[in-house]
Amino acid sequence: MVVPEAVLSQGALGALQCATMMGSSSRAIVCLCAILMLSSASPNSAGITSRYVRKLAASEDLPEDNAHVKAPEEYNAPQQVHIHQGDYEGTAVIVSWVTQDEPGDGKVLYGQAQGNYTTFVIGEAYSYSFYNYTSGFIHHAVISGLQFDTRYFYAIGSGNVSREFWFITPPESKLDTSYTFGVIGDLGQTFDSLSTLEHYMNSSGQSVLFVGDLSYADTYPFHNNIRWDTWSRLIEPSAAFQPWILTAGNHELDFLPEFGETIPFKPYTHRFHTPFRSSNSTSPLWYSIKRGPATIIVLSSYSAFGKYTPQYKWLLAALRRVDRNVTPWLIVLMHTPLYNSNSDHYYEGEPMRVIFEQFLVEYKVDVVFAGHVHAYERTHPVSNVQYDIVNGQCNPLVAESSPVYIVIGDGGNIEGLSAE
């Protein structure tokens, strides 16, 4: 992989456009401000969409009565609607939403013509409690057997609170397929977060690769889970229409044993479902999917990953499963970066690097996206597999077939940017 020098912008989103020359081992990555476009086109087709730069000062959270995050006034109206890819291949979608007052109608009507729904699925609904908070009724329904590259309309709720949305399934995975991803990390729900979201929605992104730290509800006293509700309403204008491929970060842990909350990731796993079983994973925190020309592997930085652990064994199997003749791009998502020159969170990713980097190099992963550090940073394609701490040979090598590592944790959260 050849990565030309480029001016790097400290934008609010993943800042790349990638163009693949099929039949050649070279790939060019050109810095942009909003999207990751995987294509069989020439690198000369890459372009710059904008040069968005965030201010260094931290922003403030949107107040709960802000129009972008406030609850609907109608009784039991479906809210917090979002979708996720529902299987490994891309022919299923998970539709999720919340009804606040009662379970209500759990059907999802869907079809290829708006308002003409002859098919439906019925999902499951439940609520959860966290300290002094009880959620609304969280619905998850899986629509399966979908056609590739097809627009589907869907409706949830009934009567005067029925709501309609649509999504487009990915193209079938093969060599000559093109697809555009947005990349966002550490979003939060500030005024800067809103700017990031609006900036992305004006791009050509077809789905979001999200590298962890969603709502920052845990920055509030007792991890105020109302802030999970407001965040889910904030992202609905995007996430109800295209999948957000989610990674869990440290702000999703919500581990509060001093107040009786001893189950890590409790709000996150109740609210957001992933198709982990379709990739033979045993946990919703690590999974893989195919989407267009890419296989996406999602890892959990805050789950056990040492040798013999479930995540370790699963990753090896997931890498072996990838067919580069079908999905020529191999992308890995995680929260804590393996490479980071910023003083914030320096070396926190070293334990996972020591264990997993050898496999990322061996299976020729193209790019590894991470968040956690509230900045943008990109490496050359690099390998440091010869360094085992004991030998002291800490000299990363620029190697064409090794991954490029990109930190993209500057989405707009309340903690502000990492500036050193």
Side-chain angles (χ1 to χ4, degrees):
M1 181 183 292
V2 177
V3 182
E5 291 298 327
V7 177
L8 303 185
S9 62
Q10 193 172 37
L13 302 176
L16 300 177
Q17 181 177 29
C18 301
T20 309
M21 295 182 63
M22 295 305 166
S24 169
S25 62
S26 65
R27 292 188 175 98
I29 296 184
V30 181
C31 187
L32 304 180
C33 188
I35 59 174
L36 171 72
M37 188 178 78
L38 307 184
S39 170
S40 59
S42 163
N44 295 328
S45 68
I48 294 177
T49 57
S50 67
R51 301 191 65 79
Y52 180 86
V53 179
R54 273 188 58 198
K55 63 182 184 296
L56 285 176
S59 185
E60 296 180 354
D61 271 353
L62 297 163
E64 292 179 24
D65 60 355
N66 181 277
H68 296 280
V69 300
K70 70 178 182 179
E73 296 179 356
E74 298 84 0
Y75 178 83
N76 218 42
Q79 57 171 290
Q80 305 177 44
V81 184
H82 57 272
I83 63 174
H84 196 291
Q85 183 161 313
D87 66 355
Y88 183 72
E89 298 292 337
T91 58
V93 165
I94 303 169
V95 180
S96 303
W97 72 100
V98 172
T99 52
Q100 189 61 43
D101 306 293
E102 58 179 279
D105 190 347
K107 288 182 181 178
V108 179
L109 308 174
Y110 68 98
Q112 295 183 34
Q114 185 174 10
N116 182 18
Y117 304 117
T118 58
T119 311
F120 67 89
V121 294
I122 300 177
E124 58 179 357
Y126 50 76
S127 62
Y128 75 92
S129 296
F130 190 93
Y131 186 55
N132 59 357
Y133 166 91
T134 300
S135 74
F137 296 91
I138 303 170
H139 299 254
H140 301 286
V142 180
I143 304 173
S144 57
L146 301 173
Q147 300 176 26
F148 288 115
D149 203 14
T150 301
R151 184 187 298 268
Y152 287 90
F153 298 88
Y154 69 99
I156 54 177
S158 58
N160 65 339
V161 294
S162 177
R163 303 183 67 194
E164 290 185 304
F165 306 90
W166 55 265
F167 59 83
I168 298 175
T169 53
E172 185 175 1
S173 295
K174 51 187 177 181
L175 283 176
D176 59 352
T177 301
S178 296
Y179 200 78
T180 305
F181 294 98
V183 188
I184 304 176
D186 301 71
L187 182 60
Q189 47 192 302
T190 69
F191 288 92
D192 281 345
S193 310
L194 175 60
S195 176
T196 293
L197 188 60
E198 291 174 338
H199 187 69
Y200 170 68
M201 291 175 64
N202 287 325
S203 77
S204 58
Q206 294 170 278
S207 65
V208 170
L209 305 179
F210 197 97
V211 293
D213 282 3
L214 285 68
S215 72
Y216 286 76
D218 64 342
T219 63
Y220 285 80
F222 312 115
H223 295 207
N224 183 2
N225 273 221
I226 289 174
R227 279 303 184 171
W228 273 110
D229 295 318
T230 54
W231 188 83
S232 297
R233 290 191 284 265
L234 174 66
I235 69 165
E236 184 189 89
S238 172
F241 295 91
Q242 57 177 242
W244 282 39
I245 310 306
L246 297 174
T247 311
N250 55 297
H251 285 282
E252 282 68 72
L253 275 164
D254 283 307
F255 182 65
L256 210 60
E258 61 270 33
F259 294 101
E261 294 299 339
T262 59
I263 302 174
F265 304 104
K266 183 179 179 181
Y268 174 79
T269 55
H270 277 80
R271 291 172 179 271
F272 301 99
H273 277 195
T274 64
F276 67 98
R277 293 185 181 89
S278 68
S279 60
N280 302 316
S281 170
T282 56
S283 169
L285 301 175
W286 57 86
Y287 61 96
S288 63
I289 60 171
K290 294 194 300 184
R291 197 159 185 90
T295 293
I296 312 296
I297 292 179
V298 178
L299 298 177
S300 178
S301 299
Y302 300 95
S303 302
F305 52 79
K307 194 172 184 180
Y308 311 120
T309 62
Q311 185 172 198
Y312 177 98
K313 291 183 176 181
W314 174 84
L315 174 60
L316 288 180
L319 289 168
R320 295 186 189 110
R321 182 181 184 181
V322 177
D323 184 348
R324 304 301 280 270
N325 292 315
V326 177
T327 55
W329 286 89
L330 179 53
I331 298 171
V332 172
L333 309 181
M334 61 181 64
H335 185 61
T336 303
L338 305 190
Y339 287 92
N340 163 40
S341 66
N342 203 288
S343 60
D344 284 355
H345 305 298
Y346 186 63
Y347 254 62
E348 285 185 20
E350 184 64 4
M352 182 175 275
R353 186 203 66 79
V354 170
I355 295 172
F356 281 172
E357 185 185 25
Q358 58 184 313
F359 307 125
L360 305 183
V361 172
E362 178 183 353
Y363 287 93
K364 294 181 170 56
V365 170
D366 292 296
V367 59
V368 178
F369 285 106
H372 200 40
V373 179
H374 301 166
Y376 173 80
E377 183 173 21
R378 185 196 72 192
T379 72
H380 288 279
V382 67
S383 168
N384 199 20
V385 295
Q386 78 281 359
Y387 176 48
D388 63 5
I389 299 178
V390 176
N391 62 30
Q393 296 177 14
C394 185
N395 296 299
L397 303 175
V398 175
E400 185 174 325
S401 61
S402 297
V404 170
Y405 294 86
I406 298 171
V407 177
I408 189 65
D410 50 346
N413 64 79
I414 197 169
E415 294 177 348
L417 291 174
S418 300
E420 298 180 0

